[in-house]
Amino acid sequence: AGPLVVLDGRERLDSTTDHTILINQGFDETGRVNGRSTPDTLRLALGKLHRLRLVQIAPDWRVIVSLGDSAGTATWRAVAKDGADLPAQQATVRPARMLMGPGETADFMFQPMHPGPMTLTVATQLKGWRVEVPVVVE
């Protein structure tokens, strides 16, 4: 499985700041992020604006996605839901935590302002599985 990102003619995909997070489960019913139960480290450039495209295709689970560090949950700005840009009144800064059901997508803008380690956590809402994606801001 893989995501299909559709951009209008004015947009360009920059792999250094545009990150697709594909959430699924394996045949053994363990969680996967970008196809792996132990995902690669996500590297974010300090001070740059990054787009996180969350795509939840695990058919049997509602999952909670969160981003944070040792100080707590980060904040991000919601920009799109299920393939459509959000209206200005909904494109708000909020805690970096989202409950998602099967088939949902959500896009967030995140600008890391402090170097160091972070974790993007994807966990089932009910007891099931948890996947932690290491994030390094440098």
Side-chain angles (χ1 to χ4, degrees):
L4 176 64
V5 177
V6 178
L7 305 173
D8 70 23
R10 301 168 301 197
E11 296 175 298
R12 297 282 181 248
L13 188 70
D14 180 349
S15 63
T16 64
T17 58
D18 197 313
H19 312 279
T20 301
I21 311 298
L22 180 68
I23 301 159
N24 199 358
Q25 65 193 43
F27 291 115
D28 59 359
E29 296 195 19
T30 59
R32 302 273 193 273
V33 173
N34 293 339
R36 302 185 65 181
S37 57
T38 54
D40 293 333
T41 299
L42 177 60
R43 299 193 177 280
L44 304 179
L46 179 67
K48 282 202 167 191
L49 198 56
H50 294 264
R51 186 177 191 125
L52 304 177
R53 298 176 188 269
L54 308 178
V55 180
Q56 205 294 71
I57 61 171
D60 299 328
W61 301 97
R62 288 172 46 104
V63 299
I64 298 169
V65 180
S66 61
L67 176 65
D69 59 16
S70 61
T73 303
T75 58
W76 56 19
R77 184 170 53 87
V79 294
K81 179 75 174 97
D82 295 331
D85 291 339
L86 292 174
Q89 68 271 21
Q90 293 179 12
T92 59
V93 174
R94 56 187 74 174
R97 182 176 165 83
M98 171 90 184
L99 174 64
M100 300 180 75
E104 286 188 76
T105 68
D107 293 21
F108 297 93
M109 299 305 289
F110 175 66
Q111 186 173 17
M113 300 308 291
H114 305 285
M118 300 184 79
T119 303
L120 179 77
T121 303
V122 180
T124 56
Q125 183 183 24
L126 301 175
K127 186 176 180 181
W129 49 260
R130 175 185 181 98
V131 177
E132 292 187 349
V133 180
V135 179
V136 174
V137 177
E138 51 194 5

